[in-house]
Amino acid sequence: MARINDVGGVEGFGPVDITDDTEPFHADWEARVFGIWNALRAQGIFNLNEFRDAIESMPPREYLAASYYERWFEAISALLERKGVIEPGELDD
């Protein structure tokens, strides 16, 4: 079953943006999300396959509305809740 991230060959998403963007982060919070992801993965809280699955499991509307690192944050939050590291909704604020 295809998920929302699997849009290969699907019409209606507009042209691919091929702008050469050399900046890895466009805001400080994006770098923090990357750092948190790296630390949690290094501690074995989750692995890369679990992380990818969490991103790909986002509801389609949320996935399409989110930026790259917003998807990362949502996936990290979902995994931390699923694994009992944080309480459900603890990061909502």
Side-chain angles (χ1 to χ4, degrees):
M1 175 176 91
R3 297 187 195 182
I4 190 60
N5 66 297
D6 186 14
V7 294
V10 176
E11 298 285 330
F13 285 96
V16 174
D17 181 3
I18 58 170
T19 306
D20 186 14
D21 187 1
T22 59
E23 295 297 320
F25 309 110
H26 296 97
D28 290 342
W29 71 267
E30 294 177 341
R32 287 189 199 106
V33 168
F34 181 79
I36 291 167
W37 172 83
N38 215 14
L40 293 170
R41 196 176 56 83
Q43 292 177 27
I45 304 294
F46 54 79
N47 64 41
L48 193 55
N49 288 333
E50 291 174 308
F51 176 70
R52 188 195 75 244
D53 182 66
I55 290 175
E56 294 174 1
S57 296
M58 289 176 65
R61 185 170 299 213
E62 291 175 27
Y63 180 92
L64 292 173
S67 70
Y68 185 76
Y69 284 106
E70 287 172 334
R71 292 179 191 142
W72 279 45
F73 180 75
E74 291 301 321
I76 291 167
S77 299
L79 286 166
L80 292 176
E81 286 182 10
R82 190 177 309 154
K83 293 178 176 276
V85 176
I86 62 172
E87 295 295 320
E90 189 172 334
L91 299 179
D92 287 352
D93 292 333

